[in-house]
Amino acid sequence: MEVRRTVPVKLDVDSDDTALLRDTVDEFLWAANYVVDHAWQGDYKTTSKAQLQAETYDEVRDRTRLHANLVQNARNKAADAVQSVVARWRQGEYAGKPHFSKPTAVYDKRCATFHDEYVSLATVGGRIEVEYVLPDEERDTPHSRYLDNDDYEVTGAELHHKNGEWYLHLRTKAGVESDKPEQATTGHSTVLGVDLGVNQLAVTSTGTFWTGEEFDHWRREYENRRGDLQQCGTRAAHENIQSVGRKETGRFKMMLHRIANGIIEEAVENGCTVIAFEELTGIRDRLSGASWGHKWAFERLYEYVEYKTELHGIDVEQVDPENTSRRCSHCGFTHPDNRDGEGFACLRCGYANHADYNAAKNIGLRYLRRNQTGDGGGAPVGVRLNRGTLNANGEYDPPAGDSGQSGSPRESPTLNEARSSDRAK
Ligand SMILES: [Zn+2]
């Protein structure tokens, strides 16, 4: 499994370089705040990094002396902050417009070169080389554990100015190349299953639901607007139809980014190393009531989850969807009558729960079984549930020290599941 650590290192900076770093940080913050201001205009907030890049990059390059990659990092910082505000709104929380004032700048390997004892940093006045202030080699410190360790690679850093001193918070990671084999032999691979649908756009095996209501609402709304405009038949109306189309796409993408972020948060919070979806091919035929719009939305959602998880070292996989909605995630009995609309009730063991939640668990289980066959035994693995895990045999394993309820309102456990959890204790 991939391991990431952040190691703070003090920098030995002379007065000329201090001036350069200070100007660089000032301009970096200006750039990030400029992008936030831009994202904040208009009816809805722009969260797409690609869109923000297209709309602000030239202006920021013109108005600052920042290295091209520092401009991009400032834009990423701004986009992440706006995305998290929008996500909090969706949870009904209050969150104001982000503003950056803490003196920091984000570096990656394109605007910094990390050596064992010093770093080369891009500044508004070109590259400078700055030495690390390193502690005694003998002591067991984060530096000796991660920086002097060839297994750890520095992937980037945040520059901080605090109490008159400069620090680099170095991000390190290890085991990137041998990620998968290592996971198969030693890792406790935990998978988050995700079921996609029409009534519920996405449901995780941890019991979080994202309803399709908002999606349906906006789809109807835009269809009506288009319909009204089509009746006008003028050139202006035609242009308006195109603008409705763009607005629609923008709004849907924003919604899908929020869901993707939510799914990833769920995986990170639950320590999952894999997110499993059902195969997207043919999904429109399998789901009753699914439109081309749904198919488009599921493909975008998958794509967003896939590229956003790169940062977290989580794999995203697709599994064979056959019978995932008819199979009992508790005892494995498969029958079409197990399912009635949104309700699932196993004809054999009586396990009853929301049908999409049952399907999400099956998707996680299918990934585990697929990855356990063929390699003789395999690693201890589980599907992450709201309270505990299911192993590949569908057996329930409550979390250590589980009092029986995580306090989360997401899943109301059925009697059967509560019983099985008691038995397991
Ligand atoms: Zn059953």
Side-chain angles (χ1 to χ4, degrees):
M1 199 170 77
E2 192 172 288
V3 182
R4 287 158 191 270
R5 294 284 182 276
T6 300
V7 183
V9 180
K10 196 170 164 181
L11 300 177
D12 182 11
V13 187
D14 67 25
S15 57
D16 286 351
D17 287 349
T18 287
L20 284 174
L21 289 181
R22 191 170 282 152
D23 284 355
T24 305
V25 164
D26 281 350
E27 296 194 12
F28 184 90
L29 293 179
W30 182 88
N33 286 320
Y34 177 88
V35 176
V36 170
D37 286 344
H38 182 86
W40 220 253
Q41 295 166 356
D43 286 346
Y44 66 90
K45 311 306 172 203
T46 311
T47 53
S48 151
K49 285 178 183 166
Q51 191 183 340
L52 288 172
Q53 171 80 355
E55 291 171 0
T56 63
Y57 179 80
D58 289 343
E59 186 73 17
V60 174
R61 280 307 304 266
D62 282 351
R63 294 172 66 171
T64 66
R65 295 167 291 164
L66 292 173
H67 184 279
N69 294 117
L70 285 171
V71 172
Q72 289 181 23
N73 293 346
R75 178 257 302 165
N76 285 344
K77 192 178 171 80
D80 288 342
V82 173
Q83 275 179 20
S84 82
V85 166
V86 170
R88 285 174 65 187
W89 288 350
R90 188 172 170 271
Q91 302 294 325
E93 289 174 33
Y94 170 80
K97 178 179 161 184
H99 180 78
F100 304 107
S101 55
K102 223 173 95 189
T104 63
V106 181
Y107 282 90
D108 56 28
K109 285 165 112 178
R110 297 166 305 175
C111 47
T113 312
F114 303 98
H115 301 277
D116 283 351
E117 295 181 342
Y118 69 100
V119 64
S120 151
L121 297 172
T123 72
V124 293
R127 285 265 181 165
I128 60 169
E129 286 184 353
V130 184
E131 298 216 353
Y132 300 147
V133 180
L134 292 171
D136 291 351
E137 280 171 33
E138 299 306 313
R139 282 169 43 209
D140 180 34
T141 63
H143 308 89
S144 58
R145 258 173 283 150
Y146 305 117
L147 289 187
D148 302 339
N149 186 336
D150 286 343
D151 293 340
Y152 280 83
E153 177 200 356
V154 177
T155 56
E158 217 171 39
L159 178 68
H160 289 255
H161 194 211
K162 204 175 153 190
N163 304 328
E165 301 282 0
W166 292 95
Y167 296 88
L168 261 190
H169 292 187
L170 295 164
R171 289 195 305 274
T172 67
K173 66 175 175 181
V176 182
E177 298 303 324
S178 56
D179 203 12
K180 276 171 190 168
E182 221 180 302
Q183 217 171 72
T185 51
T186 65
H188 293 256
S189 177
T190 305
V191 55
L192 183 78
V194 182
D195 180 65
L196 301 171
V198 174
N199 291 338
Q200 309 294 333
L201 278 188
V203 177
T204 62
S205 58
T206 45
T208 299
F209 290 69
W210 284 272
T211 144
E213 272 167 32
E214 191 188 344
F215 184 81
D216 293 340
H217 167 81
W218 288 111
R219 223 156 47 93
R220 277 195 301 273
E221 186 81 354
Y222 289 122
E223 259 162 34
N224 291 341
R225 281 188 216 172
R226 255 198 299 264
D228 290 347
L229 289 167
Q230 254 151 10
Q231 286 185 343
C232 298
T234 62
R235 186 186 158 82
H238 178 70
E239 276 164 14
N240 271 326
I241 289 173
Q242 289 186 321
S243 116
V244 166
R246 276 194 297 275
K247 245 193 169 148
E248 177 181 27
T249 306
R251 191 178 286 277
F252 287 156
K253 282 187 175 171
M254 185 174 77
M255 188 183 69
L256 296 166
H257 273 292
R258 279 195 323 248
I259 299 177
N261 289 340
I263 290 172
I264 293 164
E265 237 169 71
E266 201 71 18
V268 170
E269 277 174 14
N270 288 288
C272 298
T273 49
V274 178
I275 300 175
F277 285 83
E278 63 196 284
E279 245 161 49
L280 295 180
T281 316
I283 192 165
R284 199 177 76 89
D285 302 324
R286 289 198 303 275
L287 297 176
S288 65
S291 63
W292 287 109
H294 283 99
K295 183 175 149 55
W296 174 87
F298 295 145
E299 280 165 357
R300 294 294 83 69
L301 180 64
Y302 183 83
E303 189 182 296
Y304 295 161
V305 170
E306 202 178 26
Y307 94 78
K308 284 167 198 257
T309 45
E310 280 174 21
L311 286 169
H312 299 280
I314 296 172
D315 283 337
V316 184
E317 301 283 344
Q318 297 187 14
V319 300
D320 180 359
E322 199 186 359
N323 289 330
T324 47
S325 62
R326 299 169 178 170
R327 183 184 183 280
C328 173
S329 62
H330 189 69
C331 75
F333 180 68
T334 301
H335 197 283
D337 293 344
N338 278 350
R339 180 175 183 170
D340 183 13
E342 295 211 308
F344 183 94
C346 178
L347 295 176
R348 188 165 84 184
C349 77
Y351 170 81
N353 215 314
H354 193 288
D356 296 338
Y357 174 61
N358 178 67
K361 291 205 283 186
N362 280 330
I363 288 165
L365 283 167
R366 183 145 299 166
Y367 172 82
L368 293 187
R369 294 205 174 104
R370 189 182 78 185
N371 288 277
Q372 280 200 329
T373 50
D375 69 343
V381 282
V383 177
R384 200 69 183 145
L385 305 179
N386 196 15
R387 315 170 300 122
T389 51
L390 278 183
N391 69 19
N393 299 320
E395 287 157 356
Y396 180 71
D397 195 8
D402 181 31
S403 60
Q405 184 48 271
S406 68
S408 159
R410 289 176 295 202
E411 187 200 5
S412 44
T414 64
L415 196 58
N416 280 300
E417 206 172 358
R419 270 191 205 136
S420 90
S421 119
D422 287 338
R423 254 205 318 272
K425 275 188 248 175

